[in-house]
Amino acid sequence: EMVYVPEGPFYVGDGGASCRSLAVATSGLPYYISGEGAITISANTIPAIWAYDCNGSPAITNQVLPAYTNPGSGFPKGFRAFYIMKYELTQGQYVDFLNMLSADQVAQRGFTINTNRMHIAGVWPTYSTNFPHRAMGNLSYTDLLSYLDWAGLSPMTEFEYEKACRGPNVPIAGEYAWGTTAIVNVNDLSND
């Protein structure tokens, strides 16, 4: 199931110049994304974007995110309309992926896990899971990219993530894109 995020401008960054946040260079203000044109990453040139590290210095500087003209060309900023998955990748979806690959491909991706939260068992091409509805964890970035490529999807950018969470709303200093100031660790699984 996918969620449609409509075309339109939006802000990235929280306006609080917090660790690893995005902002207008040297100002700490949220950066306004008004199109898919190129964006300069610089600590000194306004209207460039600045990505703070945890010491208050730019994490990357003097780079350009190229204009996004079509899929596969440039860097998507999130201005254009896009779709995102409504739910996390599940163990059932990942098992379907593993079972559709060749034996050689599975040798690069496949694994079996049997813990209280994850269960993938079997051998190619008959992998199975007891928890098809649970989120799929323990994937490397390469595993995720392989699944997304197989499914005809792409990883979302930080810009797309912030737009999907906040929409066109103006950020509140210190508030995360999803609308709170809290991050809560999930340590227990109960009645999933």
Side-chain angles (χ1 to χ4, degrees):
E1 197 171 341
M2 304 296 280
V3 174
Y4 179 75
V5 179
E7 181 175 298
F10 65 102
Y11 290 92
V12 293
D14 66 358
S18 58
C19 181
R20 295 186 180 93
S21 68
L22 300 169
V24 174
T26 69
S27 73
L29 297 172
Y31 188 90
Y32 190 65
I33 305 286
S34 60
E36 291 288 353
I39 295 177
T40 300
I41 303 170
S42 173
N44 304 316
T45 308
I46 293 179
I49 195 168
W50 186 16
Y52 292 94
D53 69 12
C54 291
N55 298 319
S57 302
I60 301 172
T61 191
N62 301 321
Q63 303 284 325
V64 174
L65 295 174
Y68 181 64
T69 54
N70 57 47
S73 176
F75 184 87
K77 315 300 180 304
F79 179 83
R80 284 186 178 177
F82 59 94
Y83 286 91
I84 61 169
M85 291 174 62
K86 185 174 182 180
Y87 303 105
E88 297 171 300
L89 172 61
T90 67
Q91 293 176 40
Q93 290 170 314
Y94 199 74
V95 162
D96 290 344
F97 163 63
L98 292 176
N99 289 333
M100 293 295 293
L101 298 177
S102 70
D104 290 340
Q105 291 168 326
V106 164
Q108 301 298 314
R109 300 274 90 72
F111 55 88
T112 57
I113 299 172
N114 191 3
T115 69
N116 62 342
R117 293 186 182 155
M118 290 189 53
H119 180 272
I120 294 179
V123 294
W124 177 84
T126 58
Y127 283 105
S128 64
T129 177
N130 292 342
F131 308 109
H133 59 285
R134 285 188 186 166
M136 181 66 200
N138 299 329
L139 293 179
S140 71
Y141 189 62
T142 305
D143 290 334
L144 175 63
L145 292 179
S146 296
Y147 174 83
L148 293 175
D149 188 47
W150 173 79
L153 301 170
S154 62
M156 76 175 103
T157 67
E158 176 67 22
F159 297 150
E160 290 169 329
Y161 175 77
E162 290 201 30
K163 181 179 182 182
C165 290
R166 188 183 295 118
N169 297 335
V170 177
I172 297 172
E175 188 175 86
Y176 295 107
W178 55 85
T180 71
T181 58
I183 293 179
V184 179
N185 288 331
V186 176
N187 296 313
D188 296 307
L189 185 64
S190 178
N191 298 322
D192 71 323

